[in-house]
Amino acid sequence: MPPSQRISLAEMVRSQGTAASPVQLSSASTDRWSVDAHPTLSDLSECLFFSPGDGRIWLNDQRMLLIHSRSMGTLRRELIDNLGIDKARGLLTRAGYISGARDAQLVRERWPEADPSTILMAGTRLHTLEGVVKVVPVSFSYDPETGRYEGQFLWHNSSEADEHLAAYGVATAPSCWQQIGYAIGYVSTLLGHLVIFREVECRAMGTPHCRVIGKSAELWSDAEDDLRYLNAQDFVGSGMLATDGEMAAEGAAGPDIEAMEADLTRALVGTSSAFNAACHLLNRVAATDATVLFTGESGVGKERFARMLHQIGRRERQPFVAINCAAIPETLIETELFGVERGAYTGATQSRAGRFELADGGTLFLDEVGTLSLVAQGKLLRVLQEGEFERVGSSRPLKVKVRVVAATNEDLALAVREGRFRQDLFFRLNVFPIHLPPLRERRDDIPLLMNHFLKFYGQRHAVAVRGFTQRAVQALLNYSFPGNIRELQNLIERGVILAQGHPLDLPHMFISGETLNDEVLSLALQGEGESERGTLAGRHGRGRDPASTSASPAGSLLETVQQWRSTQKETDAPLSLPALEQTLIAEAIARAGGNLSAAARLLGITRAQLAYRQQKGTP
């Protein structure tokens, strides 16, 4: 076997078949689901490749690991013994959530046209294929109109329950935490709203198998305990996922808009590794008075993190004062920061305190600090060094004890090299830097954020929200979000207003010229003039219109092949399909300049599939 050859498991599955018999499920959208529904176990196993020579295993284009179950059991035991059950459960639940979210993206990308009920069920097959647990559906209900989901499943041969039994014996509570996280991540990512799974029977407790029930979060009356295990830190997501019942109770007394706005400001929603890393740093520095510099693109939530830093620190009962340095004219920045004495200049009819004075004892947040002029930077530096300043028009120094927190979307180190930012001020501010990742680097958090904003704006605008359509979920999961979380927030608020109780769809949100990923979905016009009509465009912008599909020329592909053959020297030789495939692959690689990923995109397949087919055709 060549060192880098990848071996598909599809033939193994085909040769052995499936032992499971078709399972009939109750469903609001489908009458029957069976193991023959695509993607089948055989379809999914075609996505799994081994590359023994270079130490890699691929599930479609995602790298996987083949590890011993006992090693995971050892890790699990170490986590429980050192961190306690609650923290260990949270870590494992979040790890499972990430795995489920990634598998959901894989299924959505590979089978974009599959029926929603079948791609929901594909998660059970993936979980089985990955060797974690054998999943047997008992009942399943999904209503595309309301987005509500309910399901009940049996888990056989749970690896997590086995390891818990081996380490601790019979448990007193369900222990398949990572598998629960997987189910939450998979279904929530596909539906675009939070679906909570709960283990009601566990093999680790002595039952023959595990039994889990999953329902949309609003259908649970007591989901808060489940939700806290999705939070990276105790301060994350306070009130972020209120249920419909809780919102109805609040609505009976009238919506408290100010309290809702405060909840939105406080909430930090996410479970991705990049987000967790930022939360960990925030938690470490909160108890100190160190100066913190938040960096990241516009819209990533720098002010939200700054407010959380203040709320969990020891100055929480003192003022939090924020100033946007980019919004203050250069001539007024000194007045805004340090205040002014009466008569200091024409129009100064009374003395006024500046932001430093107002924030005395608390926190001063300097947003967009990179936009300050060099003169203003020098005056700010003196306050940071000496802890004192004078109001404009006064010579009396004022002492303050302020924790300074700054934020910028600029590369301040580059600005220092270019002479636009003082080096000494940079080092004063850059005591404890925290970089906040853009939303495109924390896509695992998008379903949680979608649910959070959908609930919030539905309550704020007194609109009964009904979730998202499947194509809207797919678009949001793959959109580049140049405006980051702020843009997602705006899209969903816009959608809630326009949908008026219907599921949020693309025309409700993407109405301001946003460019959708052409590898997923886009809006395309077909026809001219008055005959123009909007259709959904699929990969590479090709419109998908059922009425026009049958009208496409059936012989176009054959004509292309015939034209290709006419350019070959031996046109009388029988056509070899494997040779045609290899020629097509070679041409795609040549056109992509040797870049296999780009070549795979040209062919409409994954890089792993391209590498497999390329190796398959190697003599």
Side-chain angles (χ1 to χ4, degrees):
M1 179 186 301
S4 61
Q5 183 172 352
R6 292 179 177 175
I7 308 164
S8 171
L9 293 184
E11 293 301 325
M12 181 186 301
V13 174
R14 293 192 188 98
S15 64
Q16 294 179 351
T18 57
S21 57
V23 181
Q24 183 173 354
L25 304 173
S26 62
S27 173
S29 57
T30 57
D31 296 325
R32 180 180 298 270
W33 173 84
S34 75
V35 296
D36 297 325
H38 291 283
T40 64
L41 185 60
S42 178
D43 294 331
L44 294 169
S45 62
E46 287 182 347
C47 300
L48 186 58
F49 303 98
F50 291 87
S51 182
D54 55 10
R56 294 178 182 173
I57 303 172
W58 300 92
L59 183 61
N60 206 46
D61 56 353
Q62 300 178 25
R63 187 172 179 180
M64 306 292 288
L65 300 175
L66 183 62
I67 61 177
H68 296 280
S69 176
R70 182 53 51 89
S71 69
M72 284 298 298
T74 301
L75 175 61
R76 174 193 177 90
R77 185 179 62 198
E78 292 278 351
L79 290 174
I80 293 173
D81 292 347
N82 288 282
L83 302 178
I85 286 182
D86 273 0
K87 288 190 176 180
R89 178 177 175 180
L91 285 169
L92 293 170
T93 301
R94 291 191 294 275
Y97 177 93
I98 297 298
S99 179
R102 294 295 174 88
D103 279 357
Q105 292 174 19
L106 180 155
V107 171
R108 174 58 69 191
E109 290 171 2
R110 285 295 305 273
W111 293 277
E113 304 298 330
D115 183 81
S117 61
T118 62
I119 61 173
L120 285 168
M121 286 298 123
T124 66
R125 296 163 176 167
L126 272 170
H127 223 180
T128 302
L129 178 66
E130 292 165 357
V132 179
V133 64
K134 178 184 177 182
V135 184
V136 177
V138 176
S139 63
F140 164 70
S141 174
Y142 169 61
D143 186 354
E145 289 297 318
T146 63
R148 292 196 168 183
Y149 172 97
E150 292 186 74
Q152 185 175 168
F153 304 87
L154 296 180
W155 285 347
H156 296 273
N157 309 322
S158 166
S159 59
E160 203 166 4
D162 285 347
E163 295 304 327
H164 194 93
L165 281 168
Y168 298 103
V170 177
T172 58
S175 61
C176 299
W177 308 323
Q178 195 165 2
Q179 293 167 198
I180 284 290
Y182 178 97
I184 294 174
Y186 183 87
V187 179
S188 298
T189 299
L190 286 178
L191 298 185
H193 71 268
L194 192 66
V195 176
I196 296 296
F197 281 81
R198 187 176 292 173
E199 191 175 12
V200 295
E201 295 178 13
C202 184
R203 189 156 160 260
M205 300 172 65
T207 60
H209 48 249
C210 305
R211 182 184 299 271
V212 294
I213 296 175
K215 294 189 289 187
S216 296
E218 62 268 19
L219 300 179
W220 293 102
S221 60
D222 55 346
E224 286 302 316
D225 190 57
D226 303 88
L227 297 175
R228 68 188 180 94
Y229 293 110
L230 291 177
N231 297 337
Q233 301 284 348
D234 291 340
F235 60 82
V236 178
S238 53
M240 70 174 183
L241 297 165
T243 63
D244 285 349
E246 291 168 340
M247 290 188 170
E250 293 174 2
D256 188 344
I257 299 299
E258 291 185 2
M260 290 164 56
E261 293 285 359
D263 282 342
L264 180 65
T265 300
R266 287 197 303 267
L268 296 180
V269 181
T271 189
S272 64
S273 56
F275 178 79
N276 286 349
C279 290
H280 175 75
L281 292 174
L282 189 72
N283 204 38
R284 283 295 183 90
V285 76
T288 73
D289 286 330
T291 302
V292 178
L293 176 63
F294 290 103
T295 61
E297 297 177 7
S298 178
V300 296
K302 294 187 287 293
E303 184 168 354
R304 298 259 163 84
F305 268 80
R307 289 184 180 275
M308 183 59 70
L309 175 69
H310 176 73
Q311 290 164 11
I312 64 176
R314 56 192 181 191
R315 297 173 181 258
E316 60 176 326
R317 299 185 181 277
Q318 301 302 320
F320 176 90
V321 178
I323 180 172
N324 186 346
C325 300
I328 308 299
E330 183 178 352
T331 55
L332 297 179
I333 190 67
E334 187 177 1
T335 302
E336 290 295 323
L337 288 177
F338 310 127
V340 61
E341 286 289 348
R342 179 181 177 181
Y345 51 80
T346 303
T349 58
Q350 61 183 3
S351 299
R352 180 164 58 89
R355 305 302 173 92
F356 268 96
E357 200 170 343
L358 293 174
D360 190 18
T363 303
L364 176 63
F365 177 57
L366 301 173
D367 197 11
E368 303 298 347
V369 70
T371 62
L372 288 174
S373 67
L374 290 174
V375 174
Q377 291 173 31
K379 295 179 179 180
L380 175 61
L381 177 63
R382 181 176 179 275
V383 182
L384 297 180
Q385 288 175 334
E386 307 298 334
E388 65 178 29
F389 63 92
E390 296 91 24
R391 287 182 178 179
V392 175
S394 172
S395 59
R396 181 170 60 92
L398 297 175
K399 286 277 189 180
V400 290
K401 291 184 178 180
V402 174
R403 180 180 194 170
V404 173
V405 178
T408 181
N409 57 16
E410 281 196 63
D411 183 346
L412 291 187
L414 177 61
V416 168
R417 291 194 295 270
E418 294 177 350
R420 295 183 290 107
F421 201 84
R422 292 180 61 118
Q423 186 179 50
D424 45 6
L425 178 58
F426 171 68
F427 289 130
R428 280 284 177 181
L429 295 175
N430 198 41
V431 176
F432 197 93
I434 298 179
H435 178 72
L436 302 183
L439 190 54
R440 62 181 175 275
E441 293 180 8
R442 43 178 294 207
R443 293 190 181 277
D444 299 323
D445 296 335
I446 292 178
L448 292 176
L449 290 164
M450 289 166 61
N451 181 79
H452 172 56
F453 292 132
L454 184 70
K455 297 287 186 184
F456 174 79
Y457 287 114
Q459 179 76 355
R460 182 181 187 184
H461 299 300
V463 175
V465 293
R466 299 179 63 182
F468 299 83
T469 65
Q470 284 299 307
R471 65 177 185 175
V473 173
Q474 185 177 358
L476 288 172
L477 289 176
N478 291 275
Y479 182 53
S480 60
F481 286 107
N484 292 297
I485 298 175
R486 186 183 295 123
E487 184 178 15
L488 174 61
Q489 184 177 339
N490 293 343
L491 287 173
I492 294 179
E493 182 176 15
R494 179 190 305 162
V496 167
I497 295 170
L498 290 177
Q500 288 296 313
H502 297 285
L504 273 65
D505 204 353
L506 296 182
H508 300 141
M509 296 182 289
F510 295 92
I511 61 174
S512 297
E514 295 89 353
T515 302
L516 293 177
N517 184 352
D518 62 1
E519 289 292 322
V520 186
L521 292 173
S522 63
L523 293 175
L525 291 177
Q526 293 186 352
E528 297 180 358
E530 295 182 357
S531 63
E532 281 188 346
R533 52 204 169 119
T535 63
L536 272 181
R539 293 182 177 274
H540 309 297
R542 293 188 296 271
R544 291 199 302 269
D545 186 359
S548 62
T549 301
S550 59
S552 60
S556 59
L557 182 58
L558 288 175
E559 291 171 359
T560 301
V561 173
Q562 290 171 352
Q563 292 175 4
W564 172 76
R565 289 196 67 201
S566 66
T567 64
Q568 309 300 307
K569 295 181 179 179
E570 300 178 359
T571 54
D572 294 333
L575 178 64
S576 169
L577 292 180
L580 178 61
E581 180 183 83
Q582 291 303 309
T583 301
L584 187 61
I585 289 174
E587 289 184 3
I589 294 175
R591 180 172 297 184
N595 187 319
L596 292 184
S597 297
R601 287 194 293 270
L602 289 174
L603 295 171
I605 60 178
T606 67
R607 187 187 187 284
Q609 289 174 316
L610 176 62
Y612 169 69
R613 294 181 182 278
Q614 190 181 21
Q615 292 289 343
K616 180 180 175 183
T618 303

